[in-house]
Structure formats: structure tokens, C-alpha cells
Amino acid sequence: MIEVTRLNDKGLMVNCELIQFIEETPDTVITFTDGKKIVVKETKEELVSKVIAYKRKIFEQAF
């Protein structure tokens, strides 16, 4: 899971395995595989970095 920030400055943990796509419209919107959407403060580049860091951590623990 990764931490994101809603527009009201509240933190939220999301399961990055369920992210279908991320778009900036200009706010950053995360759409999940079930169709639900949330708007967050992070840029899409920041979100990609968080997902990569999460995946690295998971795969490092596997070996």
C-alpha cells in the first residue's frame, strides 16, 4: 500500500495493486480497477515513484 494525500490534506493508504490508471486533469485522479476514483495532491510522477518504491520493497523481501 502507498500513502496519498486527499485535497483536504487527509492522508489515505491505497492498494497500488488495484490502480488501473492515473491522470492529471489538472488535479491528479486515481482510478481503481473497480471504477472508483479519488483525487489526490500528488502528481502522477510522485505516485509512480511511490509505486516503484513499494514494489522494490516487496520484491527485496521475497529474496
Side-chain angles (χ1 to χ4, degrees):
M1 296 187 82
I2 61 170
E3 186 171 11
V4 297
T5 311
R6 291 186 181 259
L7 295 181
N8 64 1
D9 290 324
K10 301 281 184 176
L12 176 69
M13 299 296 288
V14 299
N15 184 343
C16 63
E17 303 291 341
L18 299 178
I19 295 174
Q20 186 172 11
F21 54 87
I22 300 167
E23 57 188 326
E24 290 178 338
T25 64
D27 293 326
T28 306
V29 179
I30 301 173
T31 303
F32 296 94
T33 55
D34 64 359
K36 293 181 181 176
K37 297 181 179 195
I38 61 170
V39 181
V40 298
K41 284 189 167 187
E42 289 80 7
T43 65
K44 62 183 176 184
E45 290 82 10
E46 290 172 318
L47 293 171
V48 168
S49 293
K50 288 183 179 205
V51 170
I52 290 170
Y54 166 79
K55 296 274 189 177
R56 279 191 182 135
K57 183 177 177 181
I58 296 302
F59 285 113
E60 285 175 359
Q61 291 175 0
F63 296 103

